[in-house]
Short mmCIF file of all heavy atoms in Angstrom, two decimals:
data_model
loop_
_atom_site.label_atom_id
_atom_site.label_comp_id
_atom_site.label_asym_id
_atom_site.label_seq_id
_atom_site.Cartn_x
_atom_site.Cartn_y
_atom_site.Cartn_z
N THR A 95 6.43 -4.20 -28.10
CA THR A 95 5.27 -4.71 -29.02
C THR A 95 3.94 -4.81 -28.26
O THR A 95 2.96 -4.47 -28.72
CB THR A 95 5.61 -6.18 -29.53
OG1 THR A 95 6.89 -6.10 -30.10
CG2 THR A 95 4.53 -6.71 -30.36
N TYR A 96 4.11 -5.09 -26.87
CA TYR A 96 2.79 -5.23 -26.07
C TYR A 96 2.45 -4.09 -25.19
O TYR A 96 1.35 -3.96 -24.77
CB TYR A 96 2.95 -6.52 -25.23
CG TYR A 96 2.97 -7.78 -26.05
CD1 TYR A 96 4.17 -8.45 -26.21
CD2 TYR A 96 1.76 -8.40 -26.61
CE1 TYR A 96 4.23 -9.63 -26.94
CE2 TYR A 96 1.87 -9.51 -27.42
CZ TYR A 96 3.10 -10.18 -27.58
OH TYR A 96 3.09 -11.29 -28.30
N THR A 97 3.44 -3.18 -25.05
CA THR A 97 3.18 -2.14 -24.08
C THR A 97 2.06 -1.19 -24.50
O THR A 97 1.24 -0.73 -23.61
CB THR A 97 4.46 -1.29 -23.90
OG1 THR A 97 5.44 -2.16 -23.33
CG2 THR A 97 4.22 -0.05 -22.99
N SER A 98 1.98 -1.04 -25.77
CA SER A 98 0.88 -0.11 -26.23
C SER A 98 -0.51 -0.73 -26.05
O SER A 98 -1.53 0.00 -26.19
CB SER A 98 1.04 0.11 -27.75
OG SER A 98 0.97 -1.06 -28.51
N GLN A 99 -0.61 -2.05 -25.72
CA GLN A 99 -1.84 -2.68 -25.57
C GLN A 99 -2.36 -2.65 -24.06
O GLN A 99 -3.45 -3.14 -23.72
CB GLN A 99 -1.87 -4.12 -25.97
CG GLN A 99 -1.36 -4.24 -27.48
CD GLN A 99 -1.11 -5.65 -27.93
OE1 GLN A 99 -1.76 -6.55 -27.33
NE2 GLN A 99 -0.19 -5.82 -28.90
N ILE A 100 -1.53 -2.12 -23.13
CA ILE A 100 -1.90 -2.21 -21.77
C ILE A 100 -1.64 -0.80 -21.14
O ILE A 100 -0.96 0.00 -21.58
CB ILE A 100 -1.12 -3.35 -20.97
CG1 ILE A 100 0.30 -2.96 -20.90
CG2 ILE A 100 -1.34 -4.63 -21.66
CD1 ILE A 100 1.04 -3.77 -19.98
N PHE A 101 -2.20 -0.69 -19.87
CA PHE A 101 -1.94 0.44 -19.02
C PHE A 101 -1.04 -0.01 -17.89
O PHE A 101 -1.48 -0.90 -17.12
CB PHE A 101 -3.23 1.05 -18.52
CG PHE A 101 -4.14 1.58 -19.59
CD1 PHE A 101 -5.36 1.03 -19.77
CD2 PHE A 101 -3.74 2.78 -20.34
CE1 PHE A 101 -6.18 1.50 -20.73
CE2 PHE A 101 -4.54 3.18 -21.25
CZ PHE A 101 -5.89 2.61 -21.55
N SER A 102 0.16 0.47 -17.78
CA SER A 102 0.97 -0.03 -16.71
C SER A 102 2.05 1.17 -16.25
O SER A 102 2.59 1.71 -17.13
CB SER A 102 1.83 -1.17 -17.21
OG SER A 102 2.78 -1.52 -16.25
N GLU A 103 2.08 1.35 -15.06
CA GLU A 103 3.12 2.36 -14.50
C GLU A 103 4.37 1.71 -14.10
O GLU A 103 5.37 2.35 -14.08
CB GLU A 103 2.42 3.20 -13.42
CG GLU A 103 1.36 4.17 -13.86
CD GLU A 103 0.89 4.93 -12.70
OE1 GLU A 103 0.78 4.40 -11.54
OE2 GLU A 103 0.65 6.14 -12.83
N GLN A 104 4.33 0.53 -13.50
CA GLN A 104 5.45 0.00 -12.95
C GLN A 104 5.68 -1.48 -13.50
O GLN A 104 4.78 -2.11 -13.90
CB GLN A 104 5.21 -0.36 -11.35
CG GLN A 104 4.99 0.94 -10.62
CD GLN A 104 6.37 1.74 -10.40
OE1 GLN A 104 7.38 1.15 -10.62
NE2 GLN A 104 6.29 2.92 -9.89
N SER A 105 6.92 -1.84 -13.58
CA SER A 105 7.30 -3.10 -14.04
C SER A 105 7.28 -4.09 -12.86
O SER A 105 7.70 -3.61 -11.73
CB SER A 105 8.75 -3.16 -14.78
OG SER A 105 9.23 -4.47 -14.82
N LEU A 106 6.82 -5.31 -13.08
CA LEU A 106 6.87 -6.23 -11.93
C LEU A 106 8.22 -6.66 -11.59
O LEU A 106 8.40 -7.44 -10.54
CB LEU A 106 5.96 -7.45 -12.29
CG LEU A 106 4.41 -7.18 -12.38
CD1 LEU A 106 3.71 -8.52 -12.59
CD2 LEU A 106 3.93 -6.44 -11.19
N GLU A 107 9.25 -6.21 -12.32
CA GLU A 107 10.62 -6.54 -12.00
C GLU A 107 11.09 -5.47 -10.85
O GLU A 107 12.26 -5.64 -10.39
CB GLU A 107 11.50 -6.47 -13.15
CG GLU A 107 11.25 -7.54 -14.18
CD GLU A 107 11.62 -8.92 -13.75
OE1 GLU A 107 12.74 -9.10 -13.37
OE2 GLU A 107 10.71 -9.65 -13.73
N THR A 108 10.41 -4.49 -10.67
CA THR A 108 10.80 -3.30 -9.80
C THR A 108 10.97 -3.88 -8.39
O THR A 108 10.04 -4.47 -7.72
CB THR A 108 9.78 -2.25 -9.75
OG1 THR A 108 9.51 -1.82 -11.08
CG2 THR A 108 10.26 -1.05 -8.95
N PRO A 109 12.11 -3.51 -7.72
CA PRO A 109 12.34 -3.85 -6.32
C PRO A 109 11.23 -3.15 -5.40
O PRO A 109 10.92 -1.96 -5.76
CB PRO A 109 13.75 -3.41 -6.00
CG PRO A 109 14.41 -3.36 -7.31
CD PRO A 109 13.39 -2.98 -8.27
N LEU A 110 10.79 -3.76 -4.40
CA LEU A 110 9.73 -3.12 -3.60
C LEU A 110 10.26 -1.89 -2.90
O LEU A 110 9.48 -0.92 -2.62
CB LEU A 110 9.26 -4.09 -2.56
CG LEU A 110 8.67 -5.37 -3.07
CD1 LEU A 110 8.02 -6.26 -1.98
CD2 LEU A 110 7.34 -4.98 -3.94
N GLY A 111 11.60 -1.74 -2.77
CA GLY A 111 12.15 -0.70 -2.09
C GLY A 111 12.08 0.56 -3.00
O GLY A 111 12.19 1.75 -2.48
N ASP A 112 11.84 0.38 -4.36
CA ASP A 112 11.77 1.40 -5.27
C ASP A 112 10.35 2.02 -5.47
O ASP A 112 10.18 2.92 -6.19
CB ASP A 112 12.37 1.10 -6.56
CG ASP A 112 13.84 0.83 -6.56
OD1 ASP A 112 14.48 1.21 -5.54
OD2 ASP A 112 14.33 0.25 -7.52
N LEU A 113 9.35 1.26 -4.95
CA LEU A 113 8.05 1.76 -5.14
C LEU A 113 7.62 2.84 -4.22
O LEU A 113 8.28 3.09 -3.12
CB LEU A 113 7.04 0.51 -4.80
CG LEU A 113 7.05 -0.75 -5.69
CD1 LEU A 113 6.09 -1.75 -5.19
CD2 LEU A 113 6.87 -0.34 -7.17
N PRO A 114 6.68 3.74 -4.52
CA PRO A 114 6.26 4.81 -3.67
C PRO A 114 5.84 4.28 -2.30
O PRO A 114 5.18 3.15 -2.21
CB PRO A 114 5.11 5.47 -4.40
CG PRO A 114 5.23 5.01 -5.89
CD PRO A 114 5.91 3.69 -5.85
N ARG A 115 6.25 4.97 -1.30
CA ARG A 115 5.98 4.44 0.09
C ARG A 115 4.90 5.28 0.81
O ARG A 115 4.74 6.46 0.53
CB ARG A 115 7.25 4.48 0.98
CG ARG A 115 8.31 3.61 0.37
CD ARG A 115 9.54 3.50 1.38
NE ARG A 115 10.65 2.81 0.83
CZ ARG A 115 11.80 2.44 1.41
NH1 ARG A 115 11.84 2.92 2.70
NH2 ARG A 115 12.70 1.71 0.92
N LYS A 116 4.15 4.54 1.53
CA LYS A 116 3.16 5.26 2.38
C LYS A 116 3.28 4.72 3.83
O LYS A 116 3.50 3.47 4.02
CB LYS A 116 1.61 5.01 1.99
CG LYS A 116 1.30 3.60 1.59
CD LYS A 116 -0.13 3.40 1.07
CE LYS A 116 -0.48 2.01 0.78
NZ LYS A 116 0.21 1.51 -0.42
N LYS A 117 3.30 5.62 4.69
CA LYS A 117 3.62 5.22 6.15
C LYS A 117 2.56 4.18 6.75
O LYS A 117 1.35 4.52 6.74
CB LYS A 117 3.68 6.38 7.09
CG LYS A 117 4.16 6.00 8.47
CD LYS A 117 4.34 7.41 9.28
CE LYS A 117 4.77 7.05 10.70
NZ LYS A 117 5.95 6.30 10.76
N PRO A 118 2.93 3.02 7.08
CA PRO A 118 1.94 1.98 7.50
C PRO A 118 1.40 2.47 8.84
O PRO A 118 2.03 3.04 9.70
CB PRO A 118 2.74 0.73 7.64
CG PRO A 118 4.12 0.93 6.97
CD PRO A 118 4.37 2.45 6.98
N LEU A 119 0.09 2.19 9.07
CA LEU A 119 -0.55 2.40 10.31
C LEU A 119 -0.27 1.20 11.21
O LEU A 119 -0.65 0.10 10.81
CB LEU A 119 -2.13 2.53 10.05
CG LEU A 119 -2.98 2.94 11.23
CD1 LEU A 119 -2.44 4.28 11.84
CD2 LEU A 119 -4.40 3.03 10.85
N CYS A 120 0.11 1.39 12.43
CA CYS A 120 0.53 0.33 13.24
C CYS A 120 0.15 0.61 14.58
O CYS A 120 0.41 1.73 15.15
CB CYS A 120 2.08 0.09 13.20
SG CYS A 120 2.69 -1.40 14.07
N VAL A 121 -0.35 -0.37 15.37
CA VAL A 121 -0.75 -0.22 16.80
C VAL A 121 -0.23 -1.42 17.55
O VAL A 121 0.33 -2.36 17.05
CB VAL A 121 -2.27 -0.11 17.04
CG1 VAL A 121 -2.85 1.07 16.29
CG2 VAL A 121 -2.85 -1.46 16.43
N THR A 122 -0.25 -1.29 18.87
CA THR A 122 0.29 -2.45 19.73
C THR A 122 -0.81 -3.47 19.89
O THR A 122 -1.96 -3.19 19.72
CB THR A 122 0.71 -1.89 21.04
OG1 THR A 122 -0.49 -1.33 21.76
CG2 THR A 122 1.74 -0.83 21.06
N PRO A 123 -0.42 -4.68 20.30
CA PRO A 123 -1.50 -5.77 20.37
C PRO A 123 -2.55 -5.41 21.46
O PRO A 123 -3.68 -5.91 21.33
CB PRO A 123 -0.62 -6.88 20.95
CG PRO A 123 0.71 -6.65 20.42
CD PRO A 123 0.93 -5.15 20.53
N ASN A 124 -2.24 -4.60 22.36
CA ASN A 124 -3.24 -4.21 23.39
C ASN A 124 -4.18 -3.13 23.15
O ASN A 124 -5.05 -2.69 23.87
CB ASN A 124 -2.67 -4.12 24.78
CG ASN A 124 -2.05 -5.40 25.32
OD1 ASN A 124 -2.73 -6.49 25.27
ND2 ASN A 124 -0.82 -5.30 25.90
N THR A 125 -3.97 -2.48 21.96
CA THR A 125 -4.84 -1.34 21.55
C THR A 125 -6.25 -1.94 21.33
O THR A 125 -6.42 -3.03 20.72
CB THR A 125 -4.37 -0.77 20.25
OG1 THR A 125 -3.00 -0.27 20.43
CG2 THR A 125 -5.18 0.36 19.73
N SER A 126 -7.25 -1.24 21.70
CA SER A 126 -8.61 -1.70 21.56
C SER A 126 -9.05 -1.78 20.14
O SER A 126 -8.54 -0.96 19.25
CB SER A 126 -9.58 -0.87 22.32
OG SER A 126 -9.74 0.52 21.67
N ILE A 127 -9.98 -2.63 19.90
CA ILE A 127 -10.50 -2.70 18.53
C ILE A 127 -11.08 -1.42 18.03
O ILE A 127 -10.87 -0.96 16.88
CB ILE A 127 -11.52 -3.83 18.48
CG1 ILE A 127 -10.94 -5.20 18.72
CG2 ILE A 127 -12.18 -3.92 17.01
CD1 ILE A 127 -11.83 -6.31 18.83
N LYS A 128 -11.86 -0.82 18.99
CA LYS A 128 -12.52 0.52 18.64
C LYS A 128 -11.53 1.51 18.29
O LYS A 128 -11.65 2.26 17.29
CB LYS A 128 -13.30 0.98 19.91
CG LYS A 128 -13.98 2.24 19.62
CD LYS A 128 -14.85 2.64 20.89
CE LYS A 128 -15.56 4.04 20.57
NZ LYS A 128 -16.31 4.37 21.73
N GLU A 129 -10.38 1.68 18.99
CA GLU A 129 -9.34 2.66 18.68
C GLU A 129 -8.74 2.39 17.33
O GLU A 129 -8.44 3.28 16.53
CB GLU A 129 -8.31 2.80 19.69
CG GLU A 129 -7.21 3.79 19.50
CD GLU A 129 -6.15 3.77 20.65
OE1 GLU A 129 -6.42 3.14 21.73
OE2 GLU A 129 -5.15 4.50 20.43
N ALA A 130 -8.40 1.05 17.10
CA ALA A 130 -7.81 0.74 15.80
C ALA A 130 -8.78 1.08 14.64
O ALA A 130 -8.26 1.49 13.67
CB ALA A 130 -7.49 -0.82 15.76
N LEU A 131 -10.06 0.71 14.72
CA LEU A 131 -10.99 1.00 13.66
C LEU A 131 -11.12 2.54 13.43
O LEU A 131 -11.27 2.96 12.31
CB LEU A 131 -12.31 0.42 14.03
CG LEU A 131 -12.40 -1.18 14.06
CD1 LEU A 131 -13.87 -1.60 14.36
CD2 LEU A 131 -11.86 -1.78 12.71
N THR A 132 -11.08 3.27 14.49
CA THR A 132 -11.14 4.63 14.43
C THR A 132 -9.99 5.25 13.62
O THR A 132 -10.12 6.12 12.72
CB THR A 132 -11.20 5.35 15.87
OG1 THR A 132 -12.32 4.93 16.55
CG2 THR A 132 -11.29 6.96 15.63
N LEU A 133 -8.79 4.73 13.95
CA LEU A 133 -7.57 5.14 13.19
C LEU A 133 -7.72 4.86 11.64
O LEU A 133 -7.29 5.55 10.82
CB LEU A 133 -6.31 4.53 13.83
CG LEU A 133 -5.93 5.03 15.24
CD1 LEU A 133 -4.84 4.15 15.83
CD2 LEU A 133 -5.42 6.49 15.08
N MET A 134 -8.17 3.64 11.39
CA MET A 134 -8.35 3.15 10.10
C MET A 134 -9.26 4.16 9.24
O MET A 134 -9.03 4.48 8.19
CB MET A 134 -8.79 1.73 10.03
CG MET A 134 -7.81 0.69 10.40
SD MET A 134 -8.51 -0.97 10.44
CE MET A 134 -8.83 -1.25 8.71
N HIS A 135 -10.32 4.51 9.93
CA HIS A 135 -11.34 5.36 9.32
C HIS A 135 -10.83 6.76 9.11
O HIS A 135 -10.91 7.33 8.07
CB HIS A 135 -12.56 5.48 10.28
CG HIS A 135 -13.62 6.42 9.75
ND1 HIS A 135 -14.37 6.14 8.62
CD2 HIS A 135 -14.02 7.68 10.17
CE1 HIS A 135 -15.23 7.15 8.42
NE2 HIS A 135 -15.03 8.11 9.25
N GLU A 136 -10.01 7.32 10.16
CA GLU A 136 -9.36 8.69 10.04
C GLU A 136 -8.40 8.63 8.91
O GLU A 136 -8.24 9.70 8.11
CB GLU A 136 -8.86 9.06 11.35
CG GLU A 136 -9.87 9.31 12.40
CD GLU A 136 -9.31 9.54 13.81
OE1 GLU A 136 -8.02 9.41 13.89
OE2 GLU A 136 -10.03 10.02 14.67
#
C-alpha cells in the first residue's frame, strides 16, 4: 500500500551482510595524517 509512495531499494530488515560491500580504507595508528588524507582523496 505504501511502497508506491516512496523510493527504496533495500528493506531495513536486510542483514548487513547482504548489502553491497565496498572495501574499507584502513591505515595503522602511526600513519601520518597527511598520508591518510591523501588516501581518502585518491
Side-chain angles (χ1 to χ4, degrees):
T95 302
Y96 293 103
T97 297
S98 61
Q99 303 173 31
I100 67 169
F101 297 113
S102 174
E103 287 184 324
Q104 296 284 350
S105 164
L106 290 186
E107 297 292 303
T108 304
L110 297 182
D112 293 346
L113 295 180
R115 298 186 183 186
K116 48 184 181 288
K117 186 173 178 59
L119 184 59
C120 188
V121 296
T122 63
N124 291 319
T125 301
S126 71
I127 298 172
K128 180 178 180 180
E129 182 181 351
L131 296 181
T132 301
L133 289 171
M134 290 175 65
H135 177 70
E136 292 174 349

